[in-house]
Amino acid sequence: MIRRELGAFFATLGYFTRLPVPAWVGYSPDGLARAARYLPLIGLVVGGFGALVFWLASQVWAQPVAVVLSMVATIALTGAFHEDGLADTADGLGGGWDKAKILAIMKDSRVGSYGVIAVVLALLGKFALLSTLPAGQVVAALIAGHAVSRFCAVSLMATMDYAREDDSSKARQLAARLSPGALLFAVVFATLPLFFLAPEQALPAVALAVLATLWLAAKCRRWLGGYTGDCLGAVQQVAEIAFFLGLGLGI
């Protein structure tokens, strides 16, 4: 039981980050099918790494520089996995006019104008929001933002169907509908870092992240009838930015 869950965690870590995993884990469709519940925990790992880089950099440089370095660190750690999903989703929803066309655009490896604009605005938004937070709150904001936003992506997997009907997507193995127990498991890791934030900050931050998730989920449901792996990445990015926006309201 413990070895199986460790295998699922490491499978998630290997899939969503560039971190090395033990050789015994290998590749297992069953392991990836259980991976989604660990996404908020992966968020804690990624956010924690970004927070560590920010804290170390802030000892030497001004806060905006430390923020940039922390963003570079998290992007390098994930291989821009979620940013790529945001770009593909923006291109698909922006340039497509029906489900088939949108899915074809999202699968295209080329990045269009909608995708470039979405990623640039996302990066600028994160930089501006984190740079204006009090320096002492950025560490907790990074950890909580990465965990909560990944839970927002997981929520789509518990409430929506997978949109692609073929097995061409790498995210297909993750597309099994989450059970209530798995969703509750994910909630625990998404909630833990919120205790390091004041309630007047955490509540609006979570509320805006939820609203952003509902907005983008509604678009995916309307145009695609469900979600894809790119949609999950887009939700993570949009929810993360919305979370940081909410933190700014509580200052």
Side-chain angles (χ1 to χ4, degrees):
M1 177 67 176
I2 294 178
R3 183 181 177 87
R4 186 185 69 179
E5 291 303 317
L6 277 176
F9 166 72
F10 283 125
T12 316
L13 191 68
Y15 189 88
F16 288 100
T17 75
R18 297 294 180 87
L19 291 173
V21 298
W24 61 264
V25 175
Y27 171 79
S28 166
D30 181 58
L32 281 178
R34 295 193 303 274
R37 71 179 72 184
Y38 287 102
L39 260 176
L41 179 56
I42 301 303
L44 292 179
V45 174
V46 175
F49 181 67
L52 176 62
V53 170
F54 171 82
W55 182 81
L56 291 173
S58 65
Q59 309 303 307
V60 183
W61 293 289
Q63 182 170 335
V65 178
V67 167
V68 170
L69 292 176
S70 72
M71 290 171 61
V72 170
T74 56
I75 290 173
L77 191 63
T78 61
F81 192 84
H82 303 295
E83 288 80 3
D84 180 68
L86 173 64
D88 288 341
T89 301
D91 278 336
L93 295 179
W97 54 85
D98 59 27
K99 178 178 178 179
K101 184 61 177 178
I102 292 171
L103 290 177
I105 292 174
M106 291 169 72
K107 192 176 180 181
D108 194 330
S109 60
R110 294 170 296 181
V111 180
S113 57
Y114 288 107
V116 171
I117 292 171
V119 171
V120 169
L121 290 178
L123 295 177
L124 287 175
K126 292 180 195 179
F127 169 76
L129 291 165
L130 290 171
S131 295
T132 53
L133 283 177
Q137 296 177 6
V138 175
V139 167
L142 283 168
I143 298 173
H146 279 275
V148 170
S149 62
R150 281 166 174 77
F151 174 78
C152 290
V154 168
S155 69
L156 266 66
M157 302 176 70
T159 58
M160 296 171 62
D161 295 323
Y162 191 68
R164 293 189 184 275
E165 297 175 357
D166 54 51
D167 295 329
S168 61
S169 173
K170 292 185 294 184
R172 183 62 180 169
Q173 300 293 348
L174 294 165
R177 183 70 70 97
L178 258 69
S179 67
L183 192 63
L184 180 60
F185 184 88
V187 166
V188 172
F189 291 109
T191 304
L192 284 176
L194 295 177
F195 290 102
F196 294 97
L197 296 167
E200 61 270 21
Q201 286 185 295
L203 290 176
V206 171
L208 285 187
V210 169
L211 288 175
T213 301
L214 292 173
W215 169 73
L216 191 49
K219 283 188 169 294
C220 292
R221 183 179 287 108
R222 176 185 177 188
W223 292 103
L224 300 176
Y227 71 91
T228 67
D230 288 327
C231 294
L232 298 179
V235 166
Q236 187 278 320
Q237 289 289 293
V238 171
E240 183 184 349
I241 295 168
F243 186 87
F244 294 150
L245 273 171
L247 288 181
L249 290 175
I251 295 177

